[in-house]
Every structure is written in structure tokens, then in C-alpha cells.
Amino acid sequence: MGVIENLLAVIVVLGLLITFHEYGHFWVARRCGVKVLRFSVGFGKPLWSRVDRHGTEFAVAAIPLGGYVKMLDEREGPVAPEEQAQAFNRKSVWARIAIVSAGPIANFLLAFVAYWVLFVYGTTTVAPVIGDIAADSPAARGGLQSGQEIVAVEGERTPSWGEVNLKLVAAIGANGELEVTTRDSETASPERHQVPVSDWLVRQDPPRPLATLGVTPWRPELPAVLGEVLDDGRAQQAGLQSGDRIVSVDGTAVEDWMAFVDRVRDNPGKTLALQVERDGERRDVMLTPAAREQEDGTAMGYIGVGVQTTEWPERYRREIRYGPLDAVGEAVSKTGEMSLLTLDSIRKMLIGLISPSNLSGPVTIARIAGDSARNGVESFISFLAYLSISLGVLNLLPIPVLDGGHLVYYLIEAVRGRPVPEAVQAFGLRIGVALVGSLMLMALYFDLMRL
């Protein structure tokens, strides 16, 4: 079911993003008087199509990895004299700029709406309270302490661990000091810490900001009680059930969930003698964890269970909610922040601060889309917004074949007063196709390496 859910999630996500992007081109083209011949979501043979009263064919094609809006254009074929005024190439350079830029703008608008909905609907998150500080870590040298809440990084508010991670990732490549602001309680005054860093997170794959900082998030004590037990996993095969409490392993008492996890991970393929409490009675269970190979070649024990969820204390929970008008400003700010982060990440990847193995292709997108859908509406909408921003930023890059490449040509035309020569555009197109194709192959390669 996981593969099917991932596939459905990615079809929904890509379908929405592509439709909004292409509709931006379509809507502005119509208002600029350009005749649209086809509006296609997907490539290849149409699975469904219809023609409206303006003569535009709307189609859904078999390969859901893109889309296009085909407009009347004398450069692509003969145009009847009575329709020449509706040809794209006959429009002013400013009209063509508006049509081309409308696609990425539509993606930014979609992200804005998604964030606005989230801010109005409201989200409940966990306060970024520090649990443990690693000895001789940047956090320790900066004076951070257990029990403090991180309220800002580099002067930017951090109401959740997600925001802390984003701000730390945005600082990739930093040398010197990172400013981390904490407070000991909701009524205490904030305290600024200068955390020393050197080549911060450079070429980490993937970036591990909290671990590198030396911070472990505070979590409530988790008793060793089983939650979900996966079908056909080693735990189910041994007879373990949801709600079972692990009392001991090989005669050693189990204090909490992480102590049990450590014993399982450290013993792949070895039979463990468990004492389990179920319905007030204790029973003995023999369990042999399966061996799962990690990236470094070592084996890790795995039994196919999850922990029973525990309620967080109220003082560690934060609700993020705004009124409809205040949410507009917050949504604009969030869209701008994520757009700049995406653009800066591309820059850092080009100069070698971020490993190119962080590129993601359709396989990773499908997995994350499926995971976010299973984690709830809030997670899914956040992922949709971020992916829409990424699509908008990528399409604005000055690469021939992308919208940004066309915009460069049209801006040069606006300055020079005449179009860029066809031979130059054709040469740029070949370079753009090769570059984009290479990036897609790299992303797919790294996708497969993550499997």
C-alpha cells in the first residue's frame, strides 16, 4: 500500500503544481490576445482531451512530469493572415515577458495561499526546548544549556524545531559565530549566545544541523510500550502486540523506549530473551532482530515496531494561528523566506558548499509526498507549498529552455530594440536541454542511491 499511496500523493502534488504553473501562462496569454492551441498537463499521448469554444484543446497526458501551453506562433508553423494578430511572436516584448513570467508567479501565489490557509487554520507544534548538550560541542562552547528554549537563530523567530532547522540550514557555509537566542521560561528575558562555527554544515549529506550544533531536543519520557506492530515484522512473528510493555532484555531491566531501541539496534541477528507485560501479566518472548544494512556498511537490528505515543506537557506545546489579515503578511513573509532559501541553496550547491547528492528527483518527491500525506493535512500542505516555491524558483533560473532563459532573451530584446538572433537562441536551447537533462539524470541517480 505504501507504494500506491506514494504514487497517488505525487500525482496529486505534481498535478496541482503543473496545472497552476501552466494556467498562469494560459491566463495571461488569453488576456494579451494570444490564441492558445493546447493546454496540456503531462507529456506524451493524451489520455483525455476536449476543445473549448476558443479552439483551445485541454488535455491530460500519460507522463505526469510536466506540462505545456502551446500558443499560436509563426516560428513554429504557418499562420493564417486573419489570425496573425493572435500569434505570440507578434505581441510586444512586454506582453511576452508577462506571459512567460506568469507561470512561476502562479507557483508563488499557490505557495502563498497554502501558507495563508495554514496560518489561519492554525498549527500546534512542539516548543524547541533543549534536552541535552553534547560536551565540547558548538552549543556547549556558546553557553547553551539544557532546559532552555531556542526562540531565535540569527535574529529570526523559531517557534518550532522545524524553524530552528530551517534557520540553521540557511546558514550553511558560515564561519565565525551564529547568534542563538534562548530563554529559560516563557516569562524570562531572552539571552543571546554567540555559537562558534567553522565551515558550518559544508557538504554534509544530508545536513544534520542539530547534531552538528550538539543539541538533542527535549522529549517526554517514553516508556518501552509498543505502539504500531508491522505485519510480518520480527516483532509480530515473535508474538509481540501493540500495548506490550518491555520489562527486561536478557535479564537487564529496560528503563525507557530508547534503552529498548539501543538493545535491538545493537543485536542484529541475535536472539534476545524479553520479559513482556501484557494485561497485567508477565510473559517471556524470544525475539531475533532482522539485520538492516546502513550507509556505512554496518548492520542495525530492526523488528518492525513503533513506540506508543505520549502526550506532551501543555507548557511544551505552541499554537501558531493568525487572523485572516495578519495571516496575509505572515504568508508573504514565509513565501519570500522559502524562496530566498531555495535560491541560496542553489548558489551554495554551485560553489560547492552543499553536496549535489542533495538533489531530489521523482522517486524522492514521491516518497516525501506520501509521507507528508500520511502525517496529516498540515504536513501535506507545507510540502506542497515548498515544492511549488522550488518549481517557481527553478523555472526563473536564466537557463535556455526554462522560463528564466526566455525572460533573459526578451529583456535583452527590450534593451536592444530587436530580438536576439535565432541562431543564438537555437544554440542556447541546445545548451539548456543538455544542462536540464543532466540535472534530471543526476537527481534520478541520487534518488536510486537512496533506495
mmCIF file of all heavy atoms in Angstrom, residues 65-82:
data_model
loop_
_atom_site.group_PDB
_atom_site.id
_atom_site.type_symbol
_atom_site.label_atom_id
_atom_site.label_comp_id
_atom_site.label_asym_id
_atom_site.label_seq_id
_atom_site.Cartn_x
_atom_site.Cartn_y
_atom_site.Cartn_z
ATOM 1 N N LEU A 65 5.030 14.391 -15.590
ATOM 2 C CA LEU A 65 6.247 15.029 -15.085
ATOM 3 C C LEU A 65 6.428 16.435 -15.622
ATOM 4 O O LEU A 65 7.530 16.978 -15.601
ATOM 5 C CB LEU A 65 7.480 14.171 -15.430
ATOM 6 C CG LEU A 65 7.529 12.779 -14.794
ATOM 7 C CD1 LEU A 65 8.768 12.029 -15.250
ATOM 8 C CD2 LEU A 65 7.504 12.886 -13.265
ATOM 9 N N GLY A 66 5.385 17.029 -16.101
ATOM 10 C CA GLY A 66 5.480 18.377 -16.639
ATOM 11 C C GLY A 66 4.203 18.724 -17.382
ATOM 12 O O GLY A 66 3.183 18.037 -17.283
ATOM 13 N N GLY A 67 4.250 19.783 -18.141
ATOM 14 C CA GLY A 67 3.111 20.220 -18.924
ATOM 15 C C GLY A 67 3.536 21.360 -19.829
ATOM 16 O O GLY A 67 4.687 21.797 -19.787
ATOM 17 N N TYR A 68 2.625 21.843 -20.637
ATOM 18 C CA TYR A 68 2.960 22.944 -21.536
ATOM 19 C C TYR A 68 1.698 23.634 -22.040
ATOM 20 O O TYR A 68 0.597 23.062 -22.010
ATOM 21 C CB TYR A 68 3.783 22.450 -22.732
ATOM 22 C CG TYR A 68 3.085 21.435 -23.608
ATOM 23 C CD1 TYR A 68 2.350 21.834 -24.728
ATOM 24 C CD2 TYR A 68 3.157 20.072 -23.316
ATOM 25 C CE1 TYR A 68 1.706 20.910 -25.532
ATOM 26 C CE2 TYR A 68 2.525 19.139 -24.116
ATOM 27 C CZ TYR A 68 1.801 19.560 -25.218
ATOM 28 O OH TYR A 68 1.151 18.634 -26.012
ATOM 29 N N VAL A 69 1.890 24.884 -22.448
ATOM 30 C CA VAL A 69 0.851 25.654 -23.116
ATOM 31 C C VAL A 69 1.375 25.990 -24.509
ATOM 32 O O VAL A 69 2.369 26.709 -24.636
ATOM 33 C CB VAL A 69 0.511 26.949 -22.333
ATOM 34 C CG1 VAL A 69 -0.396 27.847 -23.163
ATOM 35 C CG2 VAL A 69 -0.143 26.611 -21.004
ATOM 36 N N LYS A 70 0.757 25.436 -25.530
ATOM 37 C CA LYS A 70 1.179 25.682 -26.908
ATOM 38 C C LYS A 70 0.363 26.837 -27.480
ATOM 39 O O LYS A 70 -0.864 26.788 -27.514
ATOM 40 C CB LYS A 70 0.988 24.432 -27.764
ATOM 41 C CG LYS A 70 1.482 24.600 -29.191
ATOM 42 C CD LYS A 70 1.324 23.317 -29.994
ATOM 43 C CE LYS A 70 1.859 23.499 -31.422
ATOM 44 N NZ LYS A 70 1.709 22.263 -32.225
ATOM 45 N N MET A 71 1.078 27.870 -27.919
ATOM 46 C CA MET A 71 0.417 29.068 -28.425
ATOM 47 C C MET A 71 0.651 29.226 -29.924
ATOM 48 O O MET A 71 1.624 28.700 -30.467
ATOM 49 C CB MET A 71 0.938 30.303 -27.673
ATOM 50 C CG MET A 71 0.490 30.367 -26.230
ATOM 51 S SD MET A 71 1.314 31.665 -25.269
ATOM 52 C CE MET A 71 2.720 30.769 -24.619
ATOM 53 N N LEU A 72 -0.220 29.931 -30.565
ATOM 54 C CA LEU A 72 -0.055 30.230 -31.982
ATOM 55 C C LEU A 72 1.218 31.039 -32.166
ATOM 56 O O LEU A 72 1.432 32.051 -31.497
ATOM 57 C CB LEU A 72 -1.271 31.027 -32.474
ATOM 58 C CG LEU A 72 -1.432 31.198 -33.991
ATOM 59 C CD1 LEU A 72 -1.755 29.849 -34.640
ATOM 60 C CD2 LEU A 72 -2.532 32.215 -34.286
ATOM 61 N N ASP A 73 2.101 30.582 -33.068
ATOM 62 C CA ASP A 73 3.412 31.221 -33.231
ATOM 63 C C ASP A 73 3.908 30.972 -34.649
ATOM 64 O O ASP A 73 3.994 29.822 -35.089
ATOM 65 C CB ASP A 73 4.414 30.650 -32.212
ATOM 66 C CG ASP A 73 5.654 31.518 -32.059
ATOM 67 O OD1 ASP A 73 6.188 31.976 -33.092
ATOM 68 O OD2 ASP A 73 6.094 31.721 -30.911
ATOM 69 N N GLU A 74 4.247 32.052 -35.344
ATOM 70 C CA GLU A 74 4.692 31.920 -36.738
ATOM 71 C C GLU A 74 6.040 31.222 -36.855
ATOM 72 O O GLU A 74 6.392 30.729 -37.928
ATOM 73 C CB GLU A 74 4.772 33.314 -37.375
ATOM 74 C CG GLU A 74 3.403 33.956 -37.583
ATOM 75 C CD GLU A 74 3.520 35.374 -38.108
ATOM 76 O OE1 GLU A 74 4.133 36.214 -37.416
ATOM 77 O OE2 GLU A 74 3.007 35.641 -39.221
ATOM 78 N N ARG A 75 6.802 31.163 -35.778
ATOM 79 C CA ARG A 75 8.095 30.480 -35.812
ATOM 80 C C ARG A 75 7.939 28.964 -35.795
ATOM 81 O O ARG A 75 8.891 28.237 -36.066
ATOM 82 C CB ARG A 75 8.953 30.927 -34.626
ATOM 83 C CG ARG A 75 9.317 32.409 -34.638
ATOM 84 C CD ARG A 75 9.919 32.837 -33.316
ATOM 85 N NE ARG A 75 8.984 32.649 -32.208
ATOM 86 C CZ ARG A 75 9.276 32.892 -30.937
ATOM 87 N NH1 ARG A 75 10.480 33.343 -30.616
ATOM 88 N NH2 ARG A 75 8.377 32.702 -29.990
ATOM 89 N N GLU A 76 6.743 28.489 -35.446
ATOM 90 C CA GLU A 76 6.522 27.049 -35.348
ATOM 91 C C GLU A 76 5.659 26.501 -36.475
ATOM 92 O O GLU A 76 5.410 25.290 -36.515
ATOM 93 C CB GLU A 76 5.878 26.719 -33.997
ATOM 94 C CG GLU A 76 6.764 27.084 -32.815
ATOM 95 C CD GLU A 76 6.120 26.729 -31.487
ATOM 96 O OE1 GLU A 76 5.024 26.124 -31.506
ATOM 97 O OE2 GLU A 76 6.706 27.041 -30.447
ATOM 98 N N GLY A 77 5.204 27.348 -37.371
ATOM 99 C CA GLY A 77 4.395 26.882 -38.488
ATOM 100 C C GLY A 77 3.628 28.033 -39.116
ATOM 101 O O GLY A 77 3.550 29.136 -38.549
ATOM 102 N N PRO A 78 3.068 27.805 -40.279
ATOM 103 C CA PRO A 78 2.318 28.868 -40.964
ATOM 104 C C PRO A 78 1.076 29.277 -40.181
ATOM 105 O O PRO A 78 0.420 28.448 -39.557
ATOM 106 C CB PRO A 78 1.945 28.226 -42.307
ATOM 107 C CG PRO A 78 2.005 26.750 -42.062
ATOM 108 C CD PRO A 78 3.080 26.548 -41.051
ATOM 109 N N VAL A 79 0.785 30.578 -40.218
ATOM 110 C CA VAL A 79 -0.368 31.124 -39.517
ATOM 111 C C VAL A 79 -1.225 31.868 -40.539
ATOM 112 O O VAL A 79 -0.712 32.672 -41.335
ATOM 113 C CB VAL A 79 0.063 32.085 -38.392
ATOM 114 C CG1 VAL A 79 -1.153 32.735 -37.745
ATOM 115 C CG2 VAL A 79 0.883 31.342 -37.353
ATOM 116 N N ALA A 80 -2.523 31.591 -40.505
ATOM 117 C CA ALA A 80 -3.437 32.246 -41.445
ATOM 118 C C ALA A 80 -3.403 33.763 -41.230
ATOM 119 O O ALA A 80 -3.262 34.225 -40.097
ATOM 120 C CB ALA A 80 -4.854 31.718 -41.248
ATOM 121 N N PRO A 81 -3.491 34.542 -42.318
ATOM 122 C CA PRO A 81 -3.414 36.005 -42.200
ATOM 123 C C PRO A 81 -4.393 36.580 -41.182
ATOM 124 O O PRO A 81 -4.054 37.521 -40.444
ATOM 125 C CB PRO A 81 -3.722 36.495 -43.619
ATOM 126 C CG PRO A 81 -3.302 35.350 -44.497
ATOM 127 C CD PRO A 81 -3.616 34.112 -43.726
ATOM 128 N N GLU A 82 -5.626 36.025 -41.141
ATOM 129 C CA GLU A 82 -6.620 36.580 -40.222
ATOM 130 C C GLU A 82 -6.316 36.276 -38.747
ATOM 131 O O GLU A 82 -6.935 36.863 -37.854
ATOM 132 C CB GLU A 82 -8.015 36.051 -40.563
ATOM 133 C CG GLU A 82 -8.215 34.551 -40.407
ATOM 134 C CD GLU A 82 -7.817 33.764 -41.660
ATOM 135 O OE1 GLU A 82 -7.144 34.339 -42.549
ATOM 136 O OE2 GLU A 82 -8.198 32.572 -41.747
#
